[in-house]
Amino acid sequence: MSANSFLVKRRASVGVRVGTVMVGGGAPVVVQSMTNTDTVDEAATAEQVAQLARAGSELVRITVNSMEAAQAVPNIRARLDEMGCHVPLVGDFHFNGHKLLTAHPECAQALAKLRINPGNVGQGKKRDEQFATLIEIACKYDKPVRIGVNWGSLDQEMLARIMDENAASANPQDAKYVMREALITSALESAAKAEEIGLGRNRIVLSCKVSGVQDLIMVYRELAQRCDYALHLGLTEAGMGSKGIVASTAALAVLLQEGIGDTIRISLTPEPGGSRSREVIVAQEILQTMGLRAFVPLVAACPGCGRTTSTYFQELAESIQAYVRDEMVVWREQYEGVENMSLAVMGCVVNGPGESKHANIGISLPGSGENPVAPVFVDGQKTVTLKGDNIASEFRQIVDRYVSEKYPRKSV
């Protein structure tokens, strides 16, 4: 049985090529992230982009909010290429994108995709003119566009129109329905205008972001029924720490299980001193634990109980997960399929041996009162028993040996 044979069939969408990455059209769901550096700081931005790419982000979005930022984009692209980091860059434009790209066409050329928010393009007649300028530039340089609607910045004229239509209807809906309908209408009307100007359907990605889980699910279900554009998923302003992770997972997992979504971003607020790459890891883990994609070997570990008064198995599980994630930077370049490897670090005899046998490599550490030995299982067979002070390093050696012996090397 294949990894995703039990899943609902993916929604059919038009494929959009973003640099070297395909979004939609049956391609695997793409992981995206965004920098939080000042784009004018070319060195810091390039380094954070590279960090996100090393973590596994397949598209990275950067803010382009000033003439200086627009000037910096080609230099950032050049820095990344010199570093050997060829991840496609997405430019995020609000309010003045038409001016920036007109004044700095080299910025448009350096980007792999433009992201524009129809609620922040302008007002009245200027809105249409400025939106048209952005789309014309995208057409000129053959760049795809994500039309990203956000309920925190909806076009107020359009929202008022939909509210009036709802109030005049025989069965008016509640305010939340009106808000959701405004999001969808903004995205679809903007996409239709972009096509009229000349942007092909295979150059358009849509998103309608909100910060409420149930609202996001309802918006995207309806949007998916009303169009075949590629869709970008994300719970906007998800929050910090476990709240942001849980909310994003709760919303995106439902939609992904229904086959909705072609690219995702987890909009976490980094904890003080925390890594921006955390949002990439969460996105990967959502896709991998759902069986949609594989990025890095995952470690199964028991939660611990009264039989596991030592914290050693927790420390080993954490260090092994960090170790394989770090090693994947090299492994993915050298070996085929190593991202599918499964590991288990268990804390006592109750489920330890059985769970370890289910993994490619598993170790069952001694619980309270058990003999101070740790049997290791490789592909279901006990191969060695570890003991003493070097269990962690010896287990890592077993993992390294398994990778080099079991997975074919990639041809250069």
Side-chain angles (χ1 to χ4, degrees):
M1 180 180 289
S2 64
N4 59 356
S5 60
F6 58 89
L7 296 171
V8 175
K9 185 178 179 181
R10 289 275 303 282
R11 162 186 172 270
S13 62
V14 176
V16 179
R17 182 160 293 282
V18 183
T20 57
V21 176
M22 180 61 74
V23 173
V29 179
V30 172
V31 173
Q32 183 169 324
S33 61
M34 185 175 184
T35 60
N36 62 355
T37 55
D38 182 350
T39 306
V40 176
D41 188 337
E42 298 171 8
T45 301
E47 178 52 42
Q48 190 173 80
V49 170
Q51 180 186 59
L52 292 166
R54 285 193 296 269
S57 184
E58 294 157 303
L59 299 174
V60 179
R61 184 158 49 112
I62 61 177
T63 298
V64 189
N65 60 338
S66 67
M67 290 294 178
E68 293 78 11
Q71 286 177 309
V73 170
N75 298 331
I76 293 168
R77 178 72 274 167
R79 283 175 179 264
L80 290 166
D81 291 341
E82 289 173 5
M83 296 163 64
C85 178
H86 305 297
V87 65
L89 293 178
V90 180
D92 192 56
F93 296 93
H94 295 271
F95 309 112
N96 59 355
H98 59 292
K99 293 180 180 179
L100 302 181
L101 291 172
T102 299
H104 297 285
E106 69 279 6
C107 175
Q109 291 175 295
L111 294 168
K113 185 173 73 169
L114 313 181
R115 187 269 182 162
I116 59 177
N117 182 340
N120 288 340
V121 171
Q123 300 295 322
K125 184 179 179 181
K126 284 187 176 181
R127 178 188 62 227
D128 294 340
E129 293 173 352
Q130 291 166 185
F131 180 83
T133 297
L134 287 164
I135 299 303
E136 287 164 0
I137 290 170
C139 292
K140 181 177 180 179
Y141 296 105
D142 195 24
K143 303 296 180 180
V145 174
R146 172 157 72 93
I147 297 173
V149 185
N150 190 301
W151 73 347
S153 51
L154 270 170
D155 178 346
Q156 293 303 301
E157 291 180 17
M158 185 208 62
L159 178 59
R161 186 191 83 208
I162 292 175
M163 291 176 66
D164 290 343
E165 291 172 355
N166 179 66
S169 68
N171 297 296
Q173 303 293 323
D174 62 21
K176 281 207 166 187
Y177 171 87
V178 173
M179 183 70 75
R180 293 194 297 268
E181 184 62 25
L183 284 161
I184 295 167
T185 299
S186 178
L188 294 178
E189 288 186 354
S190 297
K193 288 178 184 176
E195 286 199 64
E196 289 174 11
I197 294 166
L199 192 66
R201 294 180 74 76
N202 66 338
R203 310 302 279 160
I204 297 174
V205 179
L206 297 186
S207 66
C208 290
K209 290 192 175 183
V210 301
S211 57
V213 170
Q214 295 295 345
D215 288 310
L216 191 83
I217 292 169
M218 296 174 75
V219 164
Y220 272 93
R221 280 175 173 167
E222 183 66 19
L223 184 62
Q225 288 182 356
R226 288 161 63 172
C227 74
D228 62 356
Y229 295 110
L231 300 181
H232 169 76
L233 301 185
L235 190 75
T236 191
E237 288 89 45
M240 181 181 288
S242 60
K243 184 268 179 185
I245 293 170
V246 170
S248 294
T249 303
L252 269 59
V254 171
L255 294 167
L256 291 167
Q257 182 69 16
E258 295 178 4
I260 299 169
D262 301 294
T263 174
I264 66 172
R265 187 213 169 184
I266 308 302
S267 299
L268 295 180
T269 303
E271 296 178 355
S275 172
R276 189 69 168 179
S277 299
R278 183 61 177 153
E279 67 178 53
V280 178
I281 294 170
V282 173
Q284 289 180 328
E285 289 177 347
I286 290 172
L287 294 174
Q288 187 154 355
T289 55
M290 291 185 69
L292 288 168
R293 291 191 65 182
F295 298 94
V296 62
L298 296 181
V299 179
C302 67
C305 66
R307 295 184 178 89
T308 55
T309 52
S310 169
T311 61
Y312 186 75
F313 83 94
Q314 301 163 347
E315 295 160 3
L316 181 60
E318 181 180 38
S319 69
I320 289 296
Q321 183 69 79
Y323 178 73
V324 296
R325 184 167 287 280
D326 289 341
E327 289 299 301
M328 271 303 295
V329 176
V330 176
W331 288 345
R332 70 167 59 100
E333 300 297 325
Q334 295 182 344
Y335 301 101
E336 295 280 357
V338 69
E339 65 275 6
N340 296 299
M341 180 173 62
S342 59
L343 304 170
V345 177
M346 303 300 293
C348 79
V349 73
V350 172
N351 291 318
E355 188 73 37
S356 296
K357 290 176 183 178
H358 288 306
N360 293 124
I361 310 171
I363 184 169
S364 180
L365 294 164
S368 304
E370 296 178 21
N371 291 330
V373 296
V376 176
F377 299 83
V378 176
D379 289 333
Q381 301 298 315
K382 181 179 174 182
T383 60
V384 68
T385 298
L386 303 181
K387 54 187 174 181
D389 297 330
N390 299 314
I391 287 177
S393 62
E394 291 173 7
F395 188 68
R396 286 195 295 269
Q397 291 172 14
I398 293 169
V399 172
D400 288 338
R401 187 165 58 249
Y402 186 90
V403 169
S404 64
E405 293 176 356
K406 293 291 184 177
Y407 294 100
R409 283 189 171 272
K410 293 182 177 180
S411 57
V412 179

